[in-house]
Amino acid sequence: MATVHLRIGDLVWGKLGRYPPWPGKVVSPPKDLKKPRGKKCHFVKFFGTEDHAWIKVEQLKPYHAHKEEMIKINKGKRFQQAVDAVEDFLKKAKGKEQNSDGKGDSKGKKTPNKPLKILEEDDEDLSALKDPSEKDLTDSDPEPSTIERLGAGPGSGFKWESSPASSMEPISKRLKIVEEDTGSTSIQAADSTAINGSITPTDKRIGFLGLGLMGSGIVSNLLKMGHVVTVWNRTAEKCDLFIQEGARLGRTPAEVASMCDITFSCVSDPKAARDLVMGPSGVLQGIRPGKCYVEMSTVDPETITELSQVITSRGGRFLEAPVAGSQQLSNDGMLVILAAGDRTVYEDCSSCFQAMGKTSFFLGEAGNAARMMLILNMVQGSFMATIAEGLTLAQATGQSQQTFLDILCQGQMASTFVDQKCQNILQGNFKPDYYLKHIQKDLRLAISMGDMANHPTPMAAAANEVYKRAKALDQSDNDISAVYRAYIH
C-alpha cells in the first residue's frame, strides 16, 4: 500500500475505533498535547461532531479521492450532515480565495497566532507546509476537555485495508465463527475491535420498541452505523431525540412491526414484554409471515417460550437476544449479546449486533439465552451485594473504605465493575447505570429457575433479601450499587 503524505489542513477520511470512516481535517494539536509514542498518526478534527483525535496514518485517506466510495457505504443522517459540513467548508474556502485575489495582505486577513506544525516532525516527506497564513476555518485548536474525553491515543487497533471496499465484505469474512462443545456459537471479532470496525448496515428496515437505559444506547448506535430505524416508546417524548437523529416514529408496536422487517424490543420485565406483544395494538397484530421479532428484555425462559410460540403461530420468526452490560456499555456499543431461537434471524441481525455490541453468542433453542442471562445477572447481583457488605464491614471495624478499595483493585478481583461501583458508593453517587429494581427482578427469576431445576441457590436468595431491603428504602430507581444503603439503615 502506497503511503499517503498528509499535511496540516488536508481533508481526510478518518477511521476511529468502531465508527465508520468519517470526514475530517488534519489540524495542528495544542502545544501541550503530546503525540502518542511510537505511533505515526495525525491530529484530526471531525466535521459535524467537532471531535478531535489522534488517528493512525493507515486509518486516513484523502477526502476527494474516496468521497464517492464512502458515501455509498454510509447512508446515516449524521454522516450526511458531516459531508455537508465539508462542502460548506470548501465553499467558504473557495470564496475566501476569490475575495483575496489581487489584494495582497489585506487588513481583514488574520494571521494565526502560531505557525502550523506537521504532526510527524521526523518524517522528511511531511516537511512541506501549507501557507501559514491560511486560517483553519473549521475552528480553533480544541479545548483540553475535548481531548481528554476522546483519549490521547489512536481510536483502535482496527486495520483499515487499502481499499474502502474492504468494509463491504460479507460478515463471514470479517468475523470468526466459533463452534463450542455445547452446540452454541459465538460470533467474535478476528481481533478485539473488528466486530465494531467497519460495518455495512443491513438494508432491512429495523424497528425498536423501548427507549430505556439500555434501549436508548442501542438505538443511538444503530443510527450511527447507518441503519434505518423506526422507534416507539410508551412515553412518546423519549422518541424526540432519536427522530432528530434520523429515526422514524411508529405510533404503536403493531405499526412498527408491520412497517419493519426486524423489530427489536427491550423492556423492563416479563409482564411488560408480554403486554408489548399481546396487548392492545401489540406487536402480534403487525406480524406477518417472514417478519422477525427479537426480544432483548431480560425475562424468564417461560415468557420467551410463550412469545416464541405466538410470533411463529402468525408466520413470524423469533429470536431472543438479551444483553449483558450497563447503560454506559450500551452507549459505547460494547454490550455482549446472548441470542437463541431462529438461527437465520440471528444472521440477519449481524450488522445490528455489531453496532450495539462487542461480541454475540448464539446459544441454540429459544429460552437458553434467558437462562444464561439470569445466571449471569444472579452472579453480578450477588457479587455487588457482597462488595457492599465488605465496605460496610470495613467501616464498622474502623478500616478505611478507600484503602479497602485500593487493595481490592490491586488483587485478583480487580475490575472496572468493582472500581466504578465502589467509587459510586464512596461518592454517594447512585445515578442508575443498571436499575436496582431490575437486578432484584433478575435474582428473583434466577431463584425461581433454580427451584424448577431442583437446584439450590442460597447465595442468590440471601442477596435477594438485601435488595428487597434496599427497595423498601426507596432505592428501586437508583443504581445497583445503592444496595449499600440496605446495610447502613
Side-chain angles (χ1 to χ4, degrees):
M1 176 181 174
T3 302
V4 177
H5 301 304
L6 298 170
R7 296 181 283 185
I8 298 294
D10 282 352
L11 299 180
V12 295
W13 293 99
K15 185 75 183 67
L16 179 63
R18 63 188 176 84
Y19 294 101
W22 206 261
K25 179 181 178 182
V26 178
V27 297
S28 182
K31 287 181 178 179
D32 57 351
L33 184 68
K34 294 182 179 180
K35 188 180 68 171
R37 284 186 176 182
K39 304 290 185 182
K40 286 191 174 183
C41 52
H42 290 289
F43 196 63
V44 175
K45 175 173 181 174
F46 291 103
F47 285 90
T49 67
E50 304 305 308
D51 286 332
H52 302 73
W54 291 105
I55 306 293
K56 294 179 183 178
V57 293
E58 62 266 26
Q59 293 175 313
L60 292 168
K61 294 183 180 297
Y63 176 80
H64 294 289
H66 297 274
K67 176 183 173 182
E68 185 176 343
E69 295 166 299
M70 296 304 172
I71 290 176
K72 288 181 180 178
I73 292 173
N74 197 329
K75 302 294 185 183
K77 183 177 179 181
R78 282 186 175 182
F79 176 82
Q80 186 56 54
Q81 290 173 342
V83 173
D84 291 343
V86 179
E87 299 305 314
D88 288 343
F89 165 73
L90 290 172
K91 288 178 182 178
K92 289 180 182 179
K94 185 176 181 181
K96 182 180 176 182
E97 289 176 1
Q98 292 174 346
N99 291 336
S100 63
D101 282 349
K103 294 183 180 180
D105 294 329
S106 63
K107 291 182 180 180
K109 190 173 183 179
K110 296 181 181 179
T111 302
N113 294 329
K114 58 182 179 180
L116 298 176
K117 295 181 180 179
I118 295 176
L119 297 176
E120 297 291 339
E121 295 180 348
D122 57 344
D123 189 342
E124 294 181 359
D125 290 329
L126 294 175
S127 60
L129 288 172
K130 284 197 168 186
D131 182 352
S133 67
E134 288 185 8
K135 181 183 177 183
D136 182 355
L137 295 179
T138 57
D139 205 351
S140 58
D141 285 336
E143 295 294 326
S145 60
T146 305
I147 311 301
E148 292 166 1
R149 178 162 54 84
L150 284 174
S156 77
F158 180 88
K159 184 178 180 182
W160 194 3
E161 301 295 338
S162 59
S163 169
S166 64
S167 62
M168 301 178 70
E169 289 178 352
I171 290 171
S172 59
K173 289 187 178 181
R174 291 185 282 117
L175 301 178
K176 182 170 57 180
I177 309 297
V178 181
E179 295 287 347
E180 300 175 351
D181 292 339
T182 59
S184 66
T185 302
S186 66
I187 291 188
Q188 297 177 331
D191 58 60
S192 61
T193 57
I195 195 165
N196 278 332
S198 190
I199 299 172
T200 302
T202 178
D203 58 2
K204 295 183 183 299
R205 294 164 297 180
I206 304 300
F208 204 97
L209 313 173
L211 301 174
L213 289 184
M214 305 297 278
S216 293
I218 291 171
V219 169
S220 179
N221 283 306
L222 288 171
L223 290 170
K224 285 178 184 177
M225 297 306 169
H227 295 84
V228 177
V229 185
T230 299
V231 296
W232 174 89
N233 191 72
R234 185 178 57 183
T235 307
E237 291 77 17
K238 286 190 176 182
C239 297
D240 293 344
L241 176 62
F242 301 101
I243 301 304
Q244 295 173 16
E245 297 297 331
R248 301 171 182 178
L249 179 64
R251 291 174 297 179
T252 65
E255 182 178 83
V256 174
S258 65
M259 291 170 57
C260 299
D261 302 304
I262 304 174
T263 300
F264 294 84
S265 72
C266 188
V267 293
S268 58
D269 55 35
K271 182 181 184 303
R274 287 189 177 97
D275 289 346
L276 197 61
V277 173
M278 295 176 283
S281 300
V283 169
L284 198 59
Q285 295 180 23
I287 291 294
R288 301 289 183 272
K291 297 279 187 180
C292 302
Y293 188 66
V294 182
E295 180 58 79
M296 303 193 78
S297 313
T298 300
V299 297
D300 55 283
E302 292 71 33
T303 296
I304 291 298
T305 299
E306 182 179 1
L307 295 179
S308 176
Q309 289 174 348
V310 297
I311 293 294
T312 55
S313 70
R314 296 289 182 91
R317 298 153 63 203
F318 181 84
L319 184 77
E320 60 168 329
V323 292
S326 62
Q327 181 185 33
Q328 187 59 56
L329 292 175
S330 176
N331 292 341
D332 293 343
M334 296 298 285
L335 296 169
V336 175
I337 299 107
L338 310 181
D342 190 324
R343 179 62 179 266
T344 62
V345 180
Y346 176 63
E347 293 168 352
D348 286 344
C349 292
S350 291
S351 73
C352 297
F353 290 158
Q354 288 179 81
M356 66 181 75
K358 65 178 180 179
T359 190
S360 65
F361 293 82
F362 185 78
L363 304 177
E365 65 181 20
N368 283 344
R371 296 180 183 94
M372 185 68 78
M373 191 73 254
L374 290 177
I375 294 168
L376 290 168
N377 283 359
M378 178 190 76
V379 171
Q380 177 176 276
S382 300
F383 182 53
M384 183 68 251
T386 301
I387 293 295
E389 190 171 290
L391 280 166
T392 53
L393 183 59
Q395 185 178 47
T397 56
Q399 304 304 303
S400 164
Q401 291 182 319
Q402 182 62 57
T403 301
F404 167 75
L405 173 58
D406 293 342
I407 296 170
L408 196 63
C409 288
Q410 292 298 317
Q412 292 180 322
M413 289 188 292
S415 68
T416 301
F417 176 83
V418 169
D419 183 53
Q420 288 179 344
K421 297 308 179 186
C422 287
Q423 291 294 350
N424 287 353
I425 291 171
L426 296 182
Q427 295 168 12
N429 174 20
F430 299 108
K431 180 181 177 181
D433 196 36
Y434 193 94
Y435 284 122
L436 184 143
K437 62 185 177 184
H438 289 170
I439 202 71
Q440 190 274 320
K441 173 261 299 181
D442 296 342
L443 281 164
R444 173 174 55 81
L445 294 178
I447 293 166
S448 176
M449 186 171 70
D451 289 344
M452 294 181 68
N454 196 29
H455 184 83
T457 52
M459 303 299 292
N464 187 45
E465 293 304 314
V466 182
Y467 282 98
K468 286 164 63 177
R469 165 71 174 160
K471 286 178 65 178
L473 295 169
D474 295 325
Q475 300 303 308
S476 290
D477 292 324
N478 282 334
D479 186 69
I480 63 172
S481 53
V483 69
Y484 173 82
R485 289 180 168 168
Y487 289 97
I488 60 174
H489 287 86

